[in-house]
Structure formats: structure tokens, C-alpha cells
Amino acid sequence: MSNGIPMQIDIVSDVVCPWCIIGYKNLEQAIERLDGQVDIKLRWHPFELNPDMGPEGQNLSEHIKGKYGLTPDQSAENRDRISMMGENVGFDIRFSSDSRIYNTFDAHRMLYWAGKEGKQTELKLALFRAYFQEGENPGDHGVIKRAAEEVGLSPEKANEILGSDMFAKEVRAEEEEFRNAGISSVPTYVVNGKYAISGGHPPEVFEQALSEIARQVEVADDEVIFDD
């Protein structure tokens, strides 16, 4: 894809958001379909679905009932639908009656650092797997350190970051930046700092949107103004 139209996609998401991994897998398919037409660079940015949640988390069914008013049957039906959509995109999403939801601030601090090390997408996917497939707490330091080591990041540096407030200010600043830009739900994809796409759309929607943006970029690049 090195000869394609350069395109920066900033993905605002949380690692406990099922639509974020479903949307990413669909985006991945769209990018593969556009091979040779676009040259994509991805960056992940923090969004906390539960910024005030304690470290112990909360039972997922209870959380959904309190937040959205769904009955247990409606909640179970919703989880089944999400699991099916995960299966359709090739990512196993497992829920159980014991599933919990957690705060993810420390995971976002680690992801910020991973971005500096060129390992951000790898770590994001590792944390998605830890939460949705292993039922682990992505805010737990042991889980975060293991995921970091799995993708080739320094376990010593990861331990140093988690044992301090390193990158906390930067993560808070990014959260505020995107909140001020009007982003209040995830996933949201910001293309070239200008075009926003929200939701876990099918690959065809991403493909069409990225193709149209690429055409607009191409037209803009061809508009040369000569100044005497």
C-alpha cells in the first residue's frame, strides 16, 4: 500500500467496548480491499466507558441494567448478538453470567507508551483478547504487563510506567481533546483529522468512506495554485 493515497486514521476507543473490536476488524477488511489505493497509518486514542468505576469492576449484566435499563433477557439477547457479530468478523467474543466490566485508564497509559514504541495496535489487540476471550481485567497491572511483554515491549519499562503516574497527563489531555471535538461515543474514526466515522460499520461502509476520502485528497492535491 506504499503507493496509495496517504491516510491517517485516529481511532478513539476503549478495550472493554465490543463494537470497538468489531469495528476494527471490519475496518481491517476494508483496508485490505483497498490495497494499493490507500496508505494507512493507524493511531489509537483513549476513551473510558467507565471512568469512575472502582478497580474491582462491576458485573456486566448489572452494569447494563443500570446504564441502559435492559432486562436480563434483553441483556442476554444483546450479548448473543454481539458474540455472533464477533464470530462473523473472526474475533471470538465470550460472555458469561460472571462477565465483568472495568476501568481502563492504566491500559490507556500503556497504550500511549506502546504508540511511541511502534507496538500500539499489537498491544490493543492483546488487551482486547485478554478481556473478551480470557475474561481478564484489562485494568489489572499483571494483565497489562503480560500483554505488553507478549507484543515485545520491555517488561521493566512497563512495570515502571504502571508503578507511577507516567503518561497520565497525556492520556487525560487526549481524552479531553476528543471530548471537546464532540466525540461522546466509541468507536469513532477520525480520518486525516477531518472526517469522522462513528460506529462498528460493515466493511463495505468503511471501504466506501475511505475511497471517497481518497478521491477528495487526490483532487485537492491536483489543485495547484500558481502565485506570481
Side-chain angles (χ1 to χ4, degrees):
M1 291 191 289
S2 59
N3 295 324
I5 300 295
M7 200 171 287
Q8 170 79 43
I9 303 181
D10 293 284
I11 308 176
V12 185
S13 76
D14 200 355
V15 296
V16 293
C17 163
W19 297 110
C20 291
I21 180 58
I22 290 169
Y24 171 73
K25 298 300 284 185
N26 284 333
L27 174 64
E28 197 175 43
Q29 286 187 44
I31 292 171
E32 288 174 2
R33 295 178 185 180
L34 292 169
D35 186 21
Q37 300 177 48
V38 293
D39 183 9
I40 300 289
K41 180 180 178 183
L42 295 179
R43 280 191 312 207
W44 297 84
H45 299 278
F47 187 99
E48 292 177 79
L49 288 172
N50 307 289
D52 300 320
M53 185 167 284
E56 73 284 352
Q58 184 183 14
N59 178 273
L60 184 59
S61 294
E62 292 176 3
H63 177 77
I64 295 298
K65 180 180 179 181
K67 192 169 186 177
Y68 302 107
L70 298 185
T71 66
D73 286 346
Q74 289 172 325
S75 183
E77 183 180 331
N78 190 47
R79 290 197 300 271
D80 288 344
R81 182 168 64 95
I82 289 171
S83 294
M84 184 178 298
M85 293 188 73
E87 184 179 343
N88 290 341
V89 300
F91 187 89
D92 191 16
I93 296 177
R94 303 169 191 160
F95 291 116
S96 73
S97 59
D98 297 326
S99 292
R100 300 183 72 79
I101 195 161
Y102 301 95
N103 175 271
T104 52
F105 182 71
D106 283 342
H108 289 302
R109 289 201 294 128
M110 192 61 64
L111 285 161
Y112 185 90
W113 169 56
K116 294 178 172 295
E117 300 294 318
K119 295 282 188 178
Q120 198 178 41
T121 294
E122 291 93 330
L123 181 59
K124 188 81 173 186
L125 293 175
L127 290 169
F128 276 135
R129 288 192 296 270
Y131 179 63
F132 287 110
Q133 297 179 351
E134 304 303 328
E136 296 180 315
N137 176 0
D140 179 83
H141 287 189
V143 172
I144 297 171
K145 282 187 285 187
R146 190 195 69 224
E149 191 169 3
E150 281 177 2
V151 302
L153 291 164
S154 163
E156 293 80 16
K157 184 64 175 179
N159 197 54
E160 178 188 350
I161 293 168
L162 291 170
S164 68
D165 64 352
M166 198 177 299
F167 304 127
K169 183 171 65 175
E170 290 85 347
V171 169
R172 294 292 188 211
E174 284 202 1
E175 289 178 330
E176 184 177 3
E177 175 188 352
F178 286 100
R179 189 164 53 245
N180 289 342
I183 293 174
S184 59
S185 64
V186 288
T188 296
Y189 311 83
V190 181
V191 185
N192 289 350
K194 184 176 180 181
Y195 309 92
I197 306 167
S198 296
H201 297 289
E204 296 76 17
V205 174
F206 284 116
E207 183 180 3
Q208 181 180 0
L210 296 180
S211 294
E212 178 58 32
I213 292 168
R215 281 193 293 271
Q216 293 185 29
V217 170
E218 202 166 25
V219 168
D221 286 346
D222 287 341
E223 292 176 350
V224 180
I225 298 176
F226 294 94
D227 190 7
D228 293 334

